[in-house]
Amino acid sequence: MGKENEYMDYTKGNVQYFSDVNKNRLFTRNSRNYINRLGRDVLNTLGNVSLLDIYLSKGKTVEPHYHQNAAELVYCISGSAQVSLINPFTNKVENIRITRGQVANVPQGWWHWETAAEDQTHLLAIFDAPYPEYIFGSDILARTPAEVLAKTYCLDKTKLQETLRPLNNQTIIIGPPDECSQRLEQEENLDEEHSNSSDYYMDGYQYYRFK
């Protein structure tokens, strides 16, 4: 049990033993993609533990991030997902596929992300800290001055700004955003439609019908 709880007076009337995670929303992308949370601020008898209750549809990703003060155990309740992490000692990407009843462990401070492999995927992320810290990739990309990134990595500043503009200086958390998903889905459907037809040819990103 955490040190803060060792001095807790369990005879007081404000001691909490129950919480409804469904009523503590951390983030909502849409009705099928959202995250609930539980921390010591919600349930004061918690020790050094907290959790995220994650719902994802196929293809949605909890964006790349890390927790500098906590390790994370990802448990799959339903559906399936790929938990990806970068081993900082080997610089290799590890892709771990989990289905119902399986877990993937992310050590403290490791860069990682989770992608749903099917609709109605339900994950439980358990942390060994009452208040895990979140450092998201979208924050790093959107809030680091473009001129710093351009100069440091020898990038074209104008192209970089154009590339990062869709982030709108927002924390994405669950991506891609709905408007981007709709555009990508339309492009995929168009690709599939025309790949099966001899009446079209492709020039860059435009499709033309033979006359």
Side-chain angles (χ1 to χ4, degrees):
M1 183 173 292
K3 291 183 179 180
E4 293 181 22
N5 295 68
E6 291 177 2
Y7 305 101
M8 186 172 188
D9 187 346
Y10 286 90
T11 66
K12 298 293 184 179
N14 66 340
V15 177
Q16 301 167 321
Y17 302 106
F18 169 82
S19 180
D20 186 346
V21 178
N22 297 299
K23 296 181 179 180
N24 294 286
R25 185 64 56 89
L26 173 69
F27 177 81
T28 301
R29 171 60 62 199
N30 53 42
S31 62
R32 297 185 301 156
N33 296 273
Y34 56 91
I35 303 175
N36 300 319
R37 63 172 291 273
L38 179 69
R40 190 183 291 164
D41 58 320
V42 178
L43 186 60
N44 61 18
T45 54
L46 280 179
N48 289 322
V49 65
S50 56
L51 62 83
L52 295 180
D53 190 34
I54 305 169
Y55 293 83
L56 299 171
S57 56
K58 184 177 181 179
K60 289 292 186 180
T61 297
V62 177
E63 68 163 307
H65 64 285
Y66 68 95
H67 312 282
Q68 61 185 10
N69 69 330
E72 177 181 349
L73 185 67
V74 184
Y75 176 79
C76 183
I77 297 175
S78 62
S80 62
Q82 179 170 283
V83 179
S84 301
L85 52 89
I86 297 178
N87 184 327
F89 299 98
T90 65
N91 286 326
K92 292 183 178 180
V93 177
E94 303 285 346
N95 295 309
I96 308 162
R97 181 71 174 264
I98 57 174
T99 59
R100 188 175 63 177
Q102 298 179 334
V103 300
N105 188 53
V106 181
Q108 180 176 335
W110 286 27
W111 190 249
H112 64 284
W113 58 97
E114 298 92 9
T115 302
E118 55 185 283
D119 286 332
Q120 298 182 342
T121 290
H122 186 187
L123 305 175
L124 195 65
I126 306 167
F127 304 91
D128 59 354
Y131 306 110
E133 298 167 355
Y134 311 92
I135 294 85
F136 292 105
S138 57
D139 289 335
I140 294 173
L141 289 172
R143 290 168 174 77
T144 303
E147 56 270 20
V148 174
L149 293 173
K151 183 176 181 180
T152 303
Y153 302 114
C154 195
L155 302 172
D156 184 297
K157 179 182 175 182
T158 302
K159 291 181 179 179
L160 180 62
Q161 290 175 322
E162 181 64 27
T163 298
L164 297 179
R165 186 169 289 113
L167 291 178
N168 293 320
N169 205 35
Q170 297 178 350
T171 305
I172 300 301
I173 302 183
I174 297 178
D178 290 341
E179 59 272 18
C180 180
S181 296
Q182 293 169 0
R183 177 175 57 81
L184 291 174
E185 184 176 351
Q186 290 174 352
E187 290 177 354
E188 289 176 359
N189 291 337
L190 189 62
D191 288 341
E192 183 177 354
E193 176 184 347
H194 297 311
S195 65
N196 297 324
S197 173
S198 60
D199 293 335
Y200 291 82
Y201 72 94
M202 185 175 71
D203 178 12
Y205 293 104
Q206 302 297 320
Y207 288 89
Y208 300 91
R209 176 181 289 275
F210 285 116
K211 295 182 179 179

